[in-house]
């Protein structure tokens, strides 16, 4: 296994179990990690949607990974995956393209990148407010068994795991097994019964996984699992709908808040990356104020902004 020694630049944090950054959900997985080595923002370690699939993916698999990861990221759901070739990389790329947060769990240490050709992708994950995560020390070389081990962390941090393409047997199928063991939801994209690359996903559906057959079925599951993700047509100040008075960048900012309540500091940081031009701080306040007036979001007593329950 050839491994390149190039490093990804970014903040490094060793997150122990008693640290506030250590996710509660990862304390419940089989063999909970003693420590997490995080390259990037440790606050990115929050429950999200795992999107995983075949490394030797077909265009159908990578297309589905991009499609559904992009929809979820636009709605403020963080995308979790394994940084592998094929479907994993497509999911990370789609989240980044939407200005979303994505987290890659690596098989080896964060300073022993695998696959090495994904160094640029990994750097953009960190630069975009996400993180690379491993339970192994920084310089630990990746070994085959470690990739199966890291699958339990992907499934454990995810509220739901979406299988976009998987054969039988496959590492992707093992992630679904880990999700079921952790009492998490498993969703799967069906494929042709003659396609070996979809045999695992089709089998999961037969065994009870939720079939994702189109955008509507996917958004229904997002709403049920993450909440307040389908915004009804609210009236905007002076008439129109939120989509009519917020810019594309503004809708992305508001979608983050609808996915999970966020404090002003986090919103200002994200706004600095989304703001088209000019004063990012003023732009963020303007977008939040317009969304509040429209009843799309509201400010909670603790100062965070989140989805307005009246709009759900």
């Amino acid at each position: 296994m050839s491994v390149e020694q190039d490093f990804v630049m970014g903040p490094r944090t060793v997150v122990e179990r008693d640290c506030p950054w250590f996710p509660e959900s990862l304390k419940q997985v089989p063999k909970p990690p003693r420590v997490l080595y995080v390259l990037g923002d440790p606050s990115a370690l929050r429950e999200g949607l795992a999107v995983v699939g075949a490394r030797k993916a077909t265009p159908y698999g990578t297309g589905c990974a991009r499609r559904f990861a992009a929809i979820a990221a636009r709605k403020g759901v963080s995308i979790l995956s394994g940084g592998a070739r094929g479907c994993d990389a497509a999911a990370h790329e789609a989240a980044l393209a939407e200005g979303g947060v994505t987290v890659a769990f690596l098989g080896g240490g964060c300073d022993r990148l695998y696959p090495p050709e994904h160094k640029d992708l990994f750097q953009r994950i960190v630069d975009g407010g996400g993180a690379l995560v491993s339970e192994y020390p920084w310089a630990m070389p990746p070994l085959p068994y470690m990739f199966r081990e890291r699958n339990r962390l992907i499934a454990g941090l995810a509220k739901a795991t979406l299988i976009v393409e998987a054969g039988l047997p496959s590492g992707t199928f093992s992630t679904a097994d880990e999700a079921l063991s952790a009492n998490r939801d498993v969703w799967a994209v069906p494929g042709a019964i003659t396609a070996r690359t979809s045999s695992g996903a089709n089998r999961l559906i037969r065994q009870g996984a939720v079939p994702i057959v189109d955008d509507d079925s996917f958004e229904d599951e997002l709403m049920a699992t993450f909440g307040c993700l389908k915004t009804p047509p609210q009236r905007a100040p002076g008439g129109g709908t939120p989509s009519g008075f917020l810019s594309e960048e503004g809708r992305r900012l508001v979608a983050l808040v609808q996915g999970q309540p966020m404090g002003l500091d986090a919103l200002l940081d994200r706004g600095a990356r989304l703001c088209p031009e000019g004063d990012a701080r003023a732009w963020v306040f303007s977008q939040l104020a317009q969304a509040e007036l429209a009843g799309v979001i509201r400010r909670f007593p603790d100062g965070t902004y989140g989805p307005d329950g009246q709009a759900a």
Side-chain angles (χ1 to χ4, degrees):
M1 184 180 293
S2 174
V3 180
E4 195 170 294
Q5 291 289 331
D6 288 340
F7 298 121
V8 167
M9 304 300 293
R12 294 161 182 264
T13 310
V14 178
V15 179
E16 299 182 341
R17 283 192 200 175
D18 59 353
C19 174
W21 296 120
F22 197 102
E24 286 295 321
S25 58
L26 290 187
K27 296 178 182 178
Q28 312 304 320
V29 301
K31 296 194 301 181
R34 295 184 303 103
V35 65
L36 295 171
Y37 296 86
V38 180
L39 178 50
D41 187 349
S43 71
L45 295 181
R46 61 177 185 266
E47 289 185 315
L49 174 69
V51 180
V52 294
R55 292 190 304 276
K56 296 180 179 179
T58 67
Y60 174 73
T62 55
C64 288
R66 291 191 191 95
R67 183 187 195 93
F68 295 124
I71 292 173
R74 280 198 295 270
K75 295 177 180 295
V77 177
S78 61
I79 301 300
L80 317 174
S81 200
R85 302 179 181 100
C87 294
D88 289 17
H92 290 305
E93 291 280 10
L96 292 171
E98 294 296 332
V101 169
T102 184
V103 175
F105 284 86
L106 304 185
C110 293
D111 285 341
R112 299 297 295 270
L113 302 179
Y114 191 85
E117 67 269 22
H118 285 182
K119 180 195 172 185
D120 175 69
L121 170 60
F122 294 146
Q123 185 66 65
R124 286 184 287 118
I125 288 174
V126 172
D127 293 343
L132 308 182
V133 186
S134 177
E135 62 183 315
Y136 301 107
W138 307 109
M140 179 73 74
L143 297 173
Y145 78 90
M146 296 177 180
F147 294 93
R148 173 62 189 259
E149 290 289 308
R150 66 93 190 271
N151 289 345
R152 80 190 196 285
L153 304 183
I154 298 173
L157 189 59
K159 280 190 174 183
T161 294
L162 173 65
I163 308 298
V164 292
E165 189 170 58
L168 280 173
S170 72
T172 300
F173 203 82
S174 78
T175 307
D177 288 341
E178 297 289 355
L180 292 171
S181 297
N183 198 29
R184 301 290 196 272
D185 291 337
V186 174
W187 311 339
V189 178
I193 61 173
T194 54
R196 296 181 61 184
T197 51
S198 289
S199 58
N202 291 342
R203 179 70 60 86
L204 285 169
I205 291 170
R206 181 173 181 270
Q207 293 174 349
V210 175
I212 301 300
V213 298
D214 54 22
D215 292 358
D216 283 344
S217 64
F218 181 62
E219 292 198 37
D220 286 343
E221 294 305 320
L222 284 178
M223 174 181 277
T225 303
F226 294 93
C228 300
L229 292 171
K230 275 191 173 179
T231 305
Q234 301 291 318
R235 300 304 294 178
T241 63
S243 62
F245 73 93
L246 286 177
S247 65
E248 176 63 28
E249 293 82 3
R251 289 196 295 273
R252 291 185 187 179
L253 183 75
V254 170
L256 294 173
V257 174
Q258 289 176 302
Q260 179 174 353
M262 297 180 70
L264 186 57
D265 287 345
L267 285 167
L268 288 172
D269 178 67
R270 191 59 54 79
R273 295 195 288 270
L274 290 174
C275 179
E277 59 183 13
D279 185 343
R281 184 180 182 87
W283 178 81
V284 168
F285 279 116
S286 172
Q287 300 299 305
L288 293 175
Q290 291 181 71
E292 279 191 274
L293 286 172
V296 178
I297 65 172
R298 66 188 178 96
R299 189 177 184 185
F300 298 124
D302 64 358
T304 61
Y305 289 84
D308 190 335
Q310 300 295 325

